[in-house]
């Protein structure tokens, strides 16, 4: 099991950091392939259907 990341108060957390942290979850819980491109995750189902998950700061 992967260790939890602890963000210190005042730490600079980027969209890339969040996307990188989400990728292992998708890899573990979904069938298919997940790739990361900076702040974007591309999840591909076995049948070829693709989803794009984009992390943005609000």
């Amino acid at each position: 099991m992967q260790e939890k990341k602890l963000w210190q108060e005042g730490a600079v957390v980027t969209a890339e950091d969040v996307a990188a942290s989400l990728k292992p979850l998708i890899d573990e819980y979904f069938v298919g392939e997940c790739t990361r491109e900076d702040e974007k995750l591309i999840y591909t189902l076995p049948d070829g259907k693709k989803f794009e998950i984009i992390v943005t700061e609000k």
Side-chain angles (χ1 to χ4, degrees), residues 1-5 7 15-36 38 40-43 53 55:
M1 180 176 238
Q2 188 172 357
E3 191 174 315
K4 285 187 177 183
K5 279 192 176 182
W7 303 107
E16 283 186 25
D17 294 331
V18 176
S21 296
L22 290 172
K23 185 184 180 312
L25 295 173
I26 292 171
D27 289 338
E28 185 173 341
Y29 289 102
F30 293 93
V31 175
E33 181 181 332
C34 183
T35 57
R36 186 173 66 86
D38 299 321
K40 181 177 13 177
L41 297 173
I42 300 171
Y43 171 61
I53 303 164
V55 179

